[in-house]
Amino acid sequence: YQWNSNLCANHGGQARRSVTDLKKPLIHARITDMSQKRVLSGIQPTSDSFHLGNYLGAVKQWVELQDSHDTFYCIVDLHALTIETDPTLLRQRTLASAAQLLALGISPDKATLFIQSQVPQHNQLGWIMECLAGFGEASRMTQFKDKSAKVGSDSARVGLFTYPMLQAADILLYQANLVPVGEDQRQHIELTRDLAGRFNARYGDTFTLPEAYILKEGAKINDIQEPTAKMSKSSGSVAGVIEIMDSPDANLKKIKSAVTDAGREVKFDPIEKPGISNLLTIHSSLSGISISQIESDFVGKGYGDFKAAVADVVVEYLRPIRERAQELLLDEKHLLSILHSGSEKARTVASATLD
Ligand code: AQP
């Protein structure tokens, strides 16, 4: 009974199962502290390096949440197959993703870090989610519309269309309460909630309805050459994307040649000054100094001084992370053992939900 009441607490304190239900075998698995809320998020191994948007929009929150929540983080290699992918490169990038996540602060002692394709339950539940989703609602997903428009309908994969339903399965299998993501993923989390609600209504109360965990600041970092478009691994311009694994020199150069706006004033104004506002967000999120304080520090100074300061903050923040990731990549066996034990734990939780 203790086990069951804790389970209810995990569902936001609501007693969602009847007394008769409580006697039935549990469909949810908890293998760590049951008073903690569950968190799940994922990242695609679609590049050799994550960028600052991935970190500030998502991974930074992943690291913070692992101290207070029961966290599951996955490298979503199946999602990466929605774009043309060389198999050797995908394997390499999956390992590079693990190394970067560890270097950024994910601790295997606190969080469950795993590879999506090692947990086949994701595909099994994914199909059920596809059969619950309407063609119309899936067609309205802006990521699908944007990405398919870029490559054209002949090249766009069916998997690109169905990926939000697989993403719903990724989340629901773990009965996640929170999903820390960037702003671009809000629509997919809404769809996940709709699908979970639809499933619960049709087949009985099964899934926790997850909430998107999106910060006000840093939820959308823009390309520094095209400051009205989001910084992106696969579609950003090389010069506009600040990569975690880039050399300090390369990032210094990129930030010094970032596109700025008319005028001279360092002021946060995303409409009139998207370039400067983006750099202010980056500086503030990494340095911890408030945007208004940075604005006052640069009163009377030009954009050149400001960009040099942003470059300094970014380069010094990323330097030890890149070095640690490079070090971790030298020991593939160690990385694989972390991922294998994470995947094993993930399979236990996922299969209990699926059962
Ligand atoms: N520019 C961004 N600003 C803030 N957050 C961002 N995220 C991505 N770009 C930004 C967040 O990073 C997490 C992992 O993203 P993903 O790898 O799953 O794919 P994505 O959202 O499609 O990001 P990319 O970089 O544009 O990747 P590709 O090019 O491979 O599609 C997510 O939480 C995302 O919100």
Side-chain angles (χ1 to χ4, degrees), residues 41-47 50-59 62 76 83 143 147 163 180-185 218-223 230-236:
S41 198
I43 191 156
Q44 302 186 70
T46 36
S47 163
F50 297 150
H51 54 70
L52 218 45
N54 298 133
Y55 177 59
L56 294 177
V59 181
W62 296 14
V76 286
I83 57 167
Q143 286 236 348
K147 288 186 178 177
Y163 120 78
V181 284
E183 183 58 48
D184 60 331
Q185 291 293 332
K220 188 178 175 215
I221 299 296
N222 287 335
D223 186 295
K230 83 159 188 163
M231 194 176 277
S232 166
K233 282 196 242 77
S234 54
S235 54

Side-chain angles (χ1 to χ4, degrees), residues 301-353:
K301 297 181 186 159
Y303 288 161
D305 288 344
F306 173 59
K307 287 201 279 186
V310 176
D312 194 41
V313 167
V314 171
V315 165
E316 291 319 315
Y317 194 95
L318 294 183
R319 190 190 299 277
I321 293 167
R322 173 177 180 255
E323 284 170 8
R324 179 73 188 125
Q326 283 172 334
E327 225 173 82
L328 284 159
L329 273 170
L330 296 177
D331 192 350
E332 190 176 308
K333 237 178 154 179
H334 174 64
L335 281 179
L336 286 174
S337 85
I338 292 172
L339 293 169
H340 284 153
S341 67
S343 301
E344 207 176 304
K345 187 172 165 191
R347 275 195 299 273
T348 309
V349 177
S351 64
T353 304

Side-chain angles (χ1 to χ4, degrees), residues 91 100 192 239 252 291:
R91 184 180 191 281
Q100 287 171 81
T192 302
L252 185 82
I291 287 183

Side-chain angles (χ1 to χ4, degrees), residues 2-4 6-11 26-39 68-72 173-177 208 345 348-350 352-353:
Q2 183 64 30
W3 174 263
N4 285 296
N6 277 335
L7 171 79
C8 292
N10 184 43
H11 283 272
L26 279 170
I27 47 166
H28 310 275
R30 299 279 305 171
I31 47 183
T32 48
D33 182 359
M34 302 213 1
S35 61
Q36 287 184 326
K37 284 198 171 185
R38 184 67 69 71
V39 168
S68 49
H69 290 69
D70 181 19
T71 46
F72 283 75
L173 275 176
Y174 299 89
Q175 306 290 1
N177 304 95
T208 301
K345 187 172 165 191
T348 309
V349 177
T353 304

